[in-house]
């Protein structure tokens, strides 16, 4: 049985952007609820970034379809036909999240008040965001013909990775680039808030490492996925897996964050610490993307 | 039992009527690999009936040709050479391969548009007017059967169980043409009882329970593992769906419990430390 690789760059990028958009929303909402204004720059930045990311992902998804049916734009509505299909469920969650995320973005611009309604909007959005992040994994888990995806840990791995990349992206609001792009939302580096974000991201990265081990552990019991497993761990894609996903995306950000900051703390150079944190955030994003890519591609071998 | 007798009767009745009308019972094809001689007549008949173009292929060491089903090939006869230990000797086995028309098909379960659907009579059919081309069916089918035709028509292509012929009271084209009687078209119940009979005489059978049952049921004298058939449990897709979702929820619950535990532990430790510190201060 040989499979054709049907899902490739578009889908991998979409799965990444879906997790990223959801993670960005989660970060923005949690920062606002918990920080009560302390992390406002991050909350704003996240709110304005979440929906464009999700929309770009959706466009990629549409581009990937094999039957665009340009003659009938309503043809795509067939996607809502099967309530147990993960694509149907996921599309509903995605549309809902885009809507809520646009709403929060708009309300930030309209300087919304801290009322119970704000909390309700956030809670609905959080449920949708967790749903979107998790479904990108469940989509693969339920594809029975690709045993390499058949682990109940995979959706949680994608969920945590989504949250971690979202956090990293929001953190980049304080990078020189972010500040230039959105001068209104991040006037000065909020070093203290950034420290908190970095700490949470470290926790998430650790959780991701554990989930990754659990995922590979559960897959190793599936006999039909053994070939794929070898391909991932020692075969052609192993450089990407070990080098980019594990080292660049998880270990280096973790170690750099810990020891790099310790080192520069002694020399007391805020600027360098800021730079290091930004680098780790950037690496986390790269790792998150290639995580989706290797899993999507290896699953179809 | 009642069902079985009544279905047998209906099937016999349909035969007696000359089969000019389809009787609504689940059908099956029984594939007896012990009789197959690898002539590939079914492959040719399928191409002819389905009007599929020839494919340019190369001779390959596996002899299976084309190597897999594809957008222009709904069925292939897999050639398997099984060595028997001595050098260059062994036995050949041939296994016809096509959509299994699962009783509870994964492809239809995952398809967001219901373009793929199961019929009462057995065939799993495809409605290109609904399909959006997401190719979830391609990645999800346990037998990797559906293929997306990128070149010509941009549709999913797979064996249809010759549903058009069935509706006309005819057998599938491949069954009709099989010269050795390796393929036979019957009701699913009868196919299963024949398979059970063969199994009781020591043959291997496939398709009775795999992924909740198939509409193509195989009998073989060598284990199916040696023929490269995937090994699946008997969960039909709907059960598989439920089980996977529950497992996923359980993993989530365990993980959050562990996290909550760690958090409580940390909280308690910091509060203990504080107490300790305040005690020390008192002593001072
Ligand atoms: S073998 Fe695959 S394509 Fe055929 S009915 Fe089963 S799941 Fe669908
Ligand atoms: S490609 Fe078409 S038939 Fe296959 S799952 Fe998607 S919508 Fe359904
Ligand atoms: S049932 Fe029809 S479509 Fe399917 S393999 Fe036989 S001839 Fe081809």
């Amino acid at each position: 049985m040989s499979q054709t690789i049907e899902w490739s760059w578009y889908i991998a990028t979409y799965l990444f952007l879906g997790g990223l958009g959801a993670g960005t929303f989660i970060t923005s909402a949690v920062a606002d609820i918990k920080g009560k204004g302390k992390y406002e720059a991050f909350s704003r930045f996240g709110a304005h970034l979440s929906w464009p990311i999700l929309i770009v992902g959706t466009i990629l998804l549409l581009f990937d379809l094999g039957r665009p049916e340009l003659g009938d734009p309503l043809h795509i509505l067939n996607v809502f036909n099967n309530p147990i299909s993960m694509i149907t469920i996921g599309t509903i969650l995605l549309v809902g999240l885009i809507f809520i995320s646009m709403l929060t973005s708009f309300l930030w611009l309209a300087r919304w008040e801290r009322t119970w309604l704000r909390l309700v909007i956030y809670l609905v959005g959080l449920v949708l965001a967790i749903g979107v992040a998790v479904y990108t994994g469940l989509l693969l888990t339920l594809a029975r013909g690709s045993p390499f995806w058949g682990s109940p840990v995979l959706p949680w791995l994608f969920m945590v990775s989504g949250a971690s990349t979202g956090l990293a992206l929001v953190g980049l609001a304080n990078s020189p680039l972010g500040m230039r792009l959105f001068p209104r939302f991040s006037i000065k580096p909020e070093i203290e808030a950034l420290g908190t974000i970095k700490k949470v991201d470290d926790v998430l990265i650790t959780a991701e490492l554990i989930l990754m081990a659990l995922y590979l552990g559960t897959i190793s019991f599936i006999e039909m996925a053994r070939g794929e497993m070898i391909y991932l761990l020692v075969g052609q894609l192993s450089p990407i897996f070990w080098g980019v996903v594990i080292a660049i995306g998880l270990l280096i950000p973790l170690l750099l964050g810990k020891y790099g900051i310790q080192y520069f703390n002694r020399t007391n150079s805020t600027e360098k610490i800021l730079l290091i944190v930004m680098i780790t955030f950037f690496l986390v994003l790269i790792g998150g993307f290639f995580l989706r890519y290797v899993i999507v591609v290896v699953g179809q071998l | 039992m009642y069902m079985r007798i009544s279905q047998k009767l209906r099937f016999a009745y349909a035969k007696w009527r000359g089969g000019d009308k389809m009787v609504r019972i689940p059908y099956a094809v029984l594939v007896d690999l012990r009789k197959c001689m690898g002539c590939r007549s079914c492959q040719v008949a399928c191409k002819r009936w389905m009007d599929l173009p020839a494919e340019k292929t190369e001779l390959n060491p596996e002899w299976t040709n084309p190597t897999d089903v594809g957008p222009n090939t709904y069925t292939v006869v897999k050639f398997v050479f099984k060595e028997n230990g001595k050098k260059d000797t062994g036995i050949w086995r041939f296994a016809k391969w096509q959509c299994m028309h699962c009783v509870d098909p994964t492809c239809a379960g995952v398809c967001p548009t219901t373009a793929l659907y199961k019929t009462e009579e057995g065939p799993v059919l495809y409605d290109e007017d609904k399909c959006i081309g997401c190719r979830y069916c391609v990645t999800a089918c346990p037998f990797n059967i559906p293929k997306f035709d990128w070149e010509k028509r941009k549709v999913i292509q797979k064996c249809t169980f010759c549903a058009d012929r069935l509706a006309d009271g005819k057998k599938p084209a491949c069954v009709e043409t099989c010269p050795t009687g390796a393929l036979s078209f019957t009701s699913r119940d009868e196919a299963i009882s024949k398979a059970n009979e063969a199994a009781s005489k020591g043959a291997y059978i496939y398709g009775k329970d795999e992924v909740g049952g198939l509409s193509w049921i195989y009998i073989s004298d060598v284990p199916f593992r040696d023929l490269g058939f995937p090994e699946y449990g008997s969960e039909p897709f709907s059960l598989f769906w439920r089980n996977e979702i529950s497992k996923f929820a359980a993993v989530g619950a365990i993980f959050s419990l562990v996290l909550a535990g760690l958090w409580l532990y940390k909280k308690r430790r910091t509060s203990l430390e504080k107490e300790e510190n305040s005690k020390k201060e008192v002593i001072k």
Side-chain angles (χ1 to χ4, degrees), chain B residues 23-201:
Chain B
V23 177
R24 312 225 157 242
I25 56 164
Y27 291 95
V29 171
L30 188 67
V31 188
D32 192 340
L33 300 183
R34 298 171 302 188
K35 292 185 187 162
C36 180
M37 58 179 181
C39 69
R40 294 189 176 115
S41 298
C42 49
Q43 244 177 271
V44 177
C46 180
K47 286 244 173 196
R48 298 279 293 171
W49 181 258
M50 291 291 155
D51 206 8
L52 297 166
E55 263 177 71
K56 225 191 171 80
T57 60
E58 278 161 18
L59 194 62
N60 62 67
E62 273 95 46
W63 285 80
T64 307
N65 199 4
T67 45
D68 194 8
V69 293
N72 294 321
T73 306
Y74 294 172
T75 183
V76 289
V77 178
K78 296 200 169 203
F79 280 50
V80 182
F81 185 68
K82 211 178 151 244
E83 277 172 36
N84 61 2
K86 279 176 249 154
K87 196 174 172 280
D88 287 342
T89 57
I91 49 163
W92 279 101
R93 282 296 173 270
F94 317 100
K96 182 181 182 303
W97 184 254
Q98 74 297 306
C99 170
M100 301 294 172
H101 299 277
C102 311
V103 170
D104 183 355
T106 306
C107 59
V110 301
C111 172
T113 65
T114 60
L116 284 161
Y117 59 100
K118 177 80 180 168
T119 57
E120 226 181 297
E121 300 77 31
V124 174
L125 298 178
Y126 169 71
D127 177 358
E128 63 177 72
D129 290 337
K130 279 188 181 164
C131 175
I132 53 171
C134 66
R135 284 115 58 230
Y136 199 2
C137 49
V138 180
T139 60
C141 166
F143 304 98
N144 293 332
I145 296 298
K147 297 278 142 96
F148 197 79
D149 181 1
W150 285 106
E151 263 142 45
K152 270 190 329 193
R153 295 197 37 239
K154 313 259 191 267
V155 290
I156 289 291
Q157 298 272 36
K158 74 168 192 67
C159 155
T160 65
F161 210 142
C162 285
D164 49 347
R165 292 175 61 93
L166 260 51
D168 216 14
K170 293 196 183 91
K171 295 175 188 172
C174 51
V175 176
E176 186 87 63
T177 203
C178 177
T180 62
L183 303 176
S184 49
F185 178 66
T186 63
S187 73
R188 188 163 189 272
D189 284 342
E190 200 175 321
I192 284 180
S193 61
K194 276 191 185 154
N196 279 340
E197 206 183 303
S200 67
K201 286 187 197 136

Side-chain angles (χ1 to χ4, degrees), chain A residues 25 93 96-97 99-100 117-131:
Chain A
F25 183 88
L93 294 171
L97 182 61
F99 177 75
I100 292 279
L117 195 63
R118 180 150 159 174
L119 197 64
V120 170
I121 292 177
Y122 273 147
L123 289 183
V124 174
L126 279 176
V127 170
L128 289 170
I130 292 175

Side-chain angles (χ1 to χ4, degrees), chain A residues 67-83:
Chain A
R67 293 176 66 72
E69 303 282 337
L70 292 176
D72 177 12
L74 294 185
H75 179 74
I76 190 68
L77 294 182
N78 275 320
V79 79
F80 296 113
N81 286 356
N82 181 1

